[in-house]
Amino acid sequence: MKKTLNYVIENKCLQKLTLSKCVDANILRATGRLIELKGRLHLALEFYYANGKVLQQNIPAEKAPEYIAQLIPGQYKQLNLTTTGGSYEVKVSKKEKITIIDHIKADRLTAASMEHNRKKQYILSDDKPLDFLIALGIQDEKGNIFDKKRSKFRQINRFLEIVSDVEDSIVSGDELYILDLCCGKSYLSFAVYYYFAKLRGCKVTMDCVDLKEDVILYCSEVAKKLNYTGLHFIAGDIRDFPIRRTPDLTVSLHACDIATDIVLAKGIDSGSRVILSTPCCHHEMMHQLKPTGNYTDFLLEHSILKQKLADAATDALRCKVLEINGYDVTALELIDPEETPKNVLIRGIKRNKTNRKQIEQLKTEYNAICEALGIEPYLKKEYVQ
């Protein structure tokens, strides 16, 4: 860990550092970035406290790796690095077992900007015209982003950043097979296809499925106009869609209510190597939650808090289902919650090995949670029992 920290700081390729899961409940997290002060490189840290205070500290670059290394696993249980060449993650379990997930690619490293008010660097440029962004009405012919589409542009770029972070787990051969289930207007479909087919030069077959025939017809015409020959749009129920082979990537953006569960089930059944899903509209659990006479009942007294509980518990249980079925799972923030409250992304990466004892423990935890809440989630019967 210290070696990696030293490397990304020395090479000025660190974009963001995040320390989380602090043992001190008064501290929410700490974030850091590289800056230059009086001609010297520093790691600028900000510590966020539960009472709303933010404390800042600037660490000389040469001392930063040692400083951070002393904070984990002692004070923080998770470290995330975002660099110009990919991501790096350190996790510490309850039993103090350290897991490192390294997706940094040396050949993609470039120096990050040191400016205090630096311009956001996107995978897709915000001043260069791109055919699919123009066709979808996000850019004009000169490459300018329309004001009303800036949040969508940021969402697309953030999603591609997440895709880029797990690219090693997706690209397995000469040809990729990708699914977009409940694709809707398909902004992400075009973006993901462009990323792999145009930016990465992969041969891509991508099937995008949705019930709305008019939307599918429109997207098919756009794909044909752009000559995106590997991008296919199909009208139909995702449950009945015949998958060509094991997908390298399955994506879904804001599939409503149990449609997200159906997407996850499709990903699990097909053995998809990576699953990226952003849920929406958690109605199922909201309707099931009823007082059970136990300690959780106080959470149901106010409708707005009951809905927040349903949202969080639904997605947390979905994460457990993926873990039970052989995936390493992380819940991520897709975009700033000020832009949309539907900003949680569930990321599942297929494991190579299965720990039966751990799976049985996860099943026990899952069933205990369902019993305590008095619920029967959509995925429980077929994917947990």
Side-chain angles (χ1 to χ4, degrees):
M1 178 178 65
K2 192 188 299 184
K3 182 179 179 181
T4 299
L5 283 165
N6 188 66
Y7 181 81
V8 299
I9 291 174
E10 274 192 354
N11 287 276
K12 300 182 181 181
C13 55
L14 177 66
Q15 293 176 315
K16 186 177 181 181
L17 176 151
T18 304
L19 288 160
S20 56
K21 299 183 180 178
C22 186
V23 296
D24 183 349
N26 294 314
I27 303 177
L28 301 178
R29 67 187 183 281
T31 64
R33 63 186 179 91
L34 295 177
I35 64 171
E36 285 186 358
L37 294 175
K38 297 180 180 180
R40 291 185 62 193
L41 187 63
H42 288 72
L43 178 65
L45 291 173
E46 292 184 326
F47 296 86
Y48 294 82
Y49 287 76
N51 62 7
K53 290 184 178 180
V54 180
L55 298 183
Q56 298 179 336
Q57 186 175 2
N58 296 323
I59 312 295
E62 64 273 13
K63 297 181 180 180
E66 180 66 30
Y67 181 87
I68 298 298
Q70 290 178 355
L71 297 179
I72 187 169
Q75 296 183 43
Y76 296 86
K77 301 303 179 184
Q78 185 162 332
L79 167 69
N80 291 86
L81 304 179
T82 302
T83 78
T84 57
S87 65
Y88 182 87
E89 185 174 53
V90 179
K91 291 183 177 181
V92 183
S93 70
K94 293 180 180 179
K95 296 182 179 180
E96 298 299 308
K97 178 184 176 182
I98 297 177
T99 301
I100 296 176
I101 304 172
D102 187 354
H103 291 299
I104 296 176
K105 293 183 177 181
D107 60 349
R108 287 171 53 191
L109 289 175
T110 57
S113 172
M114 298 295 109
E115 298 175 13
H116 285 269
N117 298 312
R118 62 192 183 279
K119 183 181 178 181
K120 173 68 176 177
Q121 297 298 308
Y122 293 115
I123 289 178
L124 303 179
S125 174
D126 60 350
D127 56 9
K128 176 183 176 182
L130 298 175
D131 56 0
F132 80 94
L133 291 179
I134 295 171
L136 295 175
I138 295 175
Q139 276 184 331
D140 64 20
E141 296 289 341
K142 295 181 179 179
N144 300 309
I145 306 296
F146 293 113
D147 289 342
K148 292 183 178 180
K149 294 295 184 179
R150 284 208 165 270
S151 61
K152 177 59 67 176
F153 177 76
R154 287 191 290 269
Q155 182 190 73
I156 290 171
N157 267 289
R158 172 58 180 151
F159 193 86
L160 291 183
E161 287 176 1
I162 293 171
V163 169
S164 176
D165 287 344
V166 294
E167 189 173 331
D168 287 346
S169 299
I170 297 170
V171 180
S172 58
D174 297 331
E175 182 175 352
L176 296 181
Y177 179 46
I178 301 174
L179 289 179
D180 188 348
L181 303 177
C182 301
C183 61
K185 293 183 179 179
S186 302
Y187 293 105
L188 292 187
S189 310
F190 284 96
V192 170
Y193 183 85
Y194 177 88
Y195 178 82
F196 284 110
K198 305 299 182 180
L199 294 184
R200 293 290 177 256
C202 300
K203 185 177 180 181
V204 180
T205 297
M206 185 169 181
D207 288 333
C208 309
V209 188
D210 197 276
L211 286 170
K212 299 175 182 177
E213 294 186 4
D214 57 335
V215 173
I216 290 297
L217 178 60
Y218 167 76
C219 293
S220 296
E221 291 174 348
V222 173
K224 184 177 180 180
K225 177 182 176 182
L226 297 173
N227 198 30
Y228 284 12
T229 55
L231 185 57
H232 310 284
F233 291 92
I234 303 98
D237 192 320
I238 62 173
R239 285 172 289 198
D240 303 325
F241 178 70
I243 296 175
R244 301 171 191 253
R245 65 168 177 86
T246 299
D248 296 291
L249 172 63
T250 298
V251 303
S252 179
L253 178 69
H254 296 156
C256 191
D257 199 23
I258 63 168
T260 290
D261 298 300
I262 297 169
V263 169
L264 297 180
K266 200 77 171 180
I268 291 170
D269 290 342
S270 64
S272 183
R273 291 162 56 82
V274 175
I275 299 172
L276 300 175
S277 178
T278 302
C280 176
C281 309
H282 304 69
H283 299 310
E284 181 196 39
M285 188 181 295
M286 182 67 174
H287 295 319
Q288 291 186 14
L289 285 171
K290 300 290 188 301
T292 58
N294 62 29
Y295 62 91
T296 64
D297 286 354
F298 81 100
L299 294 168
L300 312 181
E301 294 175 2
H302 305 280
S303 179
I304 187 172
L305 299 180
K306 180 182 176 182
Q307 182 63 66
K308 289 182 181 293
L309 169 64
D311 293 355
T314 297
D315 290 338
L317 287 172
R318 284 167 171 163
C319 289
K320 279 197 178 294
V321 168
L322 285 173
E323 289 179 317
I324 288 168
N325 288 274
Y327 288 83
D328 290 321
V329 184
T330 306
L332 304 167
E333 187 175 78
L334 176 62
I335 200 167
D336 193 322
E338 291 184 2
E339 294 192 16
T340 174
K342 305 166 187 176
N343 69 325
V344 174
L345 182 141
I346 297 172
R347 182 185 73 191
I349 301 174
K350 188 73 173 175
R351 287 194 297 264
N352 294 323
K353 296 182 180 179
T354 300
N355 185 325
R356 296 306 309 173
K357 184 177 180 181
Q358 182 182 27
I359 288 175
E360 291 305 316
Q361 181 181 345
L362 287 168
K363 287 182 178 180
T364 299
E365 293 174 0
Y366 183 98
N367 288 319
I369 293 167
C370 291
E371 183 177 354
L373 295 176
I375 57 172
E376 286 287 322
Y378 179 90
L379 294 170
K380 182 174 185 286
K381 184 176 180 180
E382 290 190 33
Y383 296 94
V384 177
Q385 302 297 342

